[in-house]
Amino acid sequence: MDNRDFIKPDRKFAKEVIDLGGESINKCFQCGTCSVVCPLSPEERPFPRKEMIWAQWGLKDRLLKDLDVWLCYQCNDCSTNCPRDAKPGEVLAAIRSSSIMHFALPNFLAKALSSPKYLAAFLLATALLMFVFLWAAGDLAFPEGDIVLHEMISFVDIYIGMAVIMVFVLATTAIGVSRFWKNITAFEANPGLTFSTRGSLIRSFVSSMIKILKHSNFGKCETNRISRYTHLAIFYGFILLLLAAFLGAVYHLVGIDPPYPLTSPVKIAGNIGALLVFAGCVMVIYRRLSNSSDLGKTTYFDWLLILLLFFVTISGIATEVIRLAELAEATYWTYIVHLWLMFQFLVYLPFSKGVHLIYRTLAMTYAKQIGREVDRAGQS
Ligand code: SF4
Ligand code: SF4
């Protein structure tokens, strides 16, 4: 048996990358400018030039195992400098979207949720499931008197519904993430690469987490610096919303039930979190609608996640504002819509761009561990 590296092209995969936003891929003539200007690409086997030719050839197996695809922050410095307008930043984003679909289980759901053809079915199915759940739990009657949301849908029913959804979300995410990790750490994943060091996994993880918490890699970009602030607003807003939900559960367990005053820690965390997510979403939507060239092409994969997050946030804020205005029926309806949107958002999360955060953290961790995450300034 010889050691030749046999190439197994997958034309369907090349087409999928094109459909997911990488339509300029065939313009690349391998000049290498993109790899030279990329602020995050290491000296040894730099990206994204090699990914461009692998994607043109439809080398799906190689790209699914490629760590470098996940080290890219889509800053688009490469796309701005590409002499052929092949948009390597967008091609890498399309490869990441395709990888998420490949790793996610159940695969049919991942494929369906990636296509606008099935959007109406998704909205209807989630509405129907929620209606059946609320009907079975006897939660569809609006209470008389003061507006108290948990008198319409009890805490127990909220906890049961959330528990079922979270089991689904965590199980599907865990399966996708473990398949991803197995691929990027496979021995043959990075042929020809010399692993000079193999550091501690924990230390590498902590170092990557610090970078993620600061979003510091965005700071190395020239073209798309503003993305750092939109990502930071959404990221920390989301963490505050999780904190508010956690505090709300603790308050309930110790017998303090809503409605809470605006000065309560639950409200402070929830309201600041909602405003941060709202501001981040508005900035992203505005930039995408204005076709900001530094952002690259916006695909359905980008739109669905950001719009779901935007409408979840807006409906949450609207529920509170309408409740303060003491419009009982409107409050209850808005709250139901808010829960429905939240349901859609959580179900979609494991198949969406939202799991980038986990995939990228793991890729950065492994890159750090094997001594690959070294930028052009020589900083590790
Ligand atoms: S993507 Fe553009 S810059 Fe990169 S190798 Fe191809 S033609 Fe050159
Ligand atoms: S988009 Fe930015 S990080 Fe990604 S390959 Fe291009 S230059 Fe590098």
Side-chain angles (χ1 to χ4, degrees):
M1 208 162 110
D2 63 36
N3 291 324
R4 277 176 300 174
D5 190 7
F6 288 105
I7 288 176
K8 292 186 216 138
D10 181 336
R11 297 183 75 82
K12 253 172 71 186
F13 174 75
K15 182 170 180 316
E16 187 174 278
V17 170
I18 289 171
D19 291 345
L20 286 167
E23 60 252 31
S24 49
I25 187 172
N26 289 322
K27 292 185 182 171
C28 172
F29 65 170
Q30 289 290 296
C31 70
T33 306
C34 49
S35 293
V36 174
V37 298
C38 174
L40 301 175
S41 183
E43 297 283 347
E44 190 181 3
R45 290 172 61 77
F47 63 90
R49 183 180 71 163
K50 66 182 186 311
E51 284 72 15
M52 291 300 283
I53 191 109
W54 291 353
Q56 278 178 346
W57 289 349
L59 299 187
K60 180 179 178 180
D61 288 347
R62 195 169 280 190
L63 284 165
L64 288 177
K65 291 185 167 106
D66 185 26
L67 180 64
D68 294 350
V69 166
W70 297 91
L71 303 182
C72 161
Y73 265 64
Q74 208 181 351
C75 68
N76 281 328
D77 285 3
C78 54
S79 299
T80 313
N81 287 284
C82 172
R84 293 276 293 159
D85 200 25
K87 301 190 172 71
E90 290 175 24
V91 173
L92 259 62
I95 296 168
R96 287 192 292 275
S97 303
S98 171
S99 300
I100 289 173
M101 280 164 55
H102 172 84
F103 292 125
L105 272 185
N107 196 254
F108 77 89
L109 200 49
K111 290 243 187 272
L113 290 175
S114 71
S115 166
K117 268 193 303 189
Y118 300 103
L119 179 61
F122 175 54
L123 300 183
L124 277 175
T126 48
L128 194 64
L129 279 172
M130 195 173 129
F131 172 79
V132 169
F133 177 77
L134 293 180
W135 173 77
D139 286 332
L140 285 175
F142 296 166
E144 300 288 331
D146 289 347
I147 305 171
V148 183
L149 297 176
H150 66 269
E151 281 186 7
M152 178 183 64
I153 302 177
S154 72
F155 278 117
V156 174
D157 295 340
I158 291 278
Y159 290 153
I160 291 172
M162 280 304 285
V164 172
I165 296 168
M166 288 317 291
V167 166
F168 171 80
V169 171
L170 293 176
T172 45
T173 304
I175 292 168
V177 166
S178 70
R179 283 154 55 112
F180 168 72
W181 179 255
K182 207 168 146 197
N183 266 267
I184 60 163
T185 57
F187 179 70
E188 72 281 11
N190 295 285
L193 193 66
T194 318
F195 296 152
S196 50
T197 53
R198 260 201 184 258
S200 143
L201 186 62
I202 304 238
R203 269 206 299 277
S204 304
F205 177 72
V206 171
S207 155
S208 303
M209 276 309 294
I210 291 171
K211 283 188 177 170
I212 294 278
L213 291 175
K214 295 199 280 189
H215 283 52
S216 53
N217 279 356
F218 278 113
K220 296 171 185 166
C221 302
E222 292 293 330
T223 307
N224 189 13
R225 280 173 183 263
I226 198 161
S227 278
R228 181 181 193 182
Y229 303 104
T230 56
H231 279 78
L232 280 171
I234 292 175
F235 181 75
Y236 283 103
F238 203 74
I239 287 179
L240 281 172
L241 289 175
L242 288 179
L243 176 68
F246 173 74
L247 287 176
V250 172
Y251 273 37
H252 172 61
L253 287 177
V254 297
I256 308 171
D257 284 341
Y260 305 116
L262 289 173
T263 49
S264 126
V266 179
K267 283 288 176 197
I268 292 173
N271 289 338
I272 295 177
L275 288 176
L276 278 174
V277 173
F278 175 74
C281 287
V282 168
M283 277 196 284
V284 172
I285 291 168
Y286 171 76
R287 295 182 73 219
R288 292 204 178 277
L289 283 176
S290 56
N291 268 332
S292 190
S293 58
D294 52 357
L295 205 57
K297 183 181 162 63
T298 304
T299 63
Y300 179 72
F301 210 65
D302 300 308
W303 273 129
L304 187 54
L305 183 72
I306 195 70
L307 287 179
L308 276 177
L309 185 57
F310 176 71
F311 285 121
V312 167
T313 313
I314 281 281
S315 58
I317 294 172
T319 304
E320 181 162 339
V321 171
I322 299 170
R323 184 180 67 78
L324 291 173
E326 299 186 356
L327 301 168
E329 199 162 323
T331 304
Y332 291 126
W333 275 115
T334 313
Y335 183 52
I336 287 177
V337 171
H338 174 62
L339 292 180
W340 174 49
L341 289 163
M342 176 80 86
F343 179 29
Q344 289 166 33
F345 176 75
L346 290 174
V347 169
Y348 180 52
L349 206 50
F351 309 100
S352 74
K353 238 184 140 176
V355 290
H356 273 203
L357 188 63
I358 302 176
Y359 284 28
R360 179 167 284 137
T361 306
L362 291 179
M364 285 169 66
T365 299
Y366 188 59
K368 177 81 182 169
Q369 195 195 9
I370 63 175
R372 179 146 183 77
E373 201 195 29
V374 179
D375 71 25
R376 293 306 165 82
Q379 301 159 323
S380 51

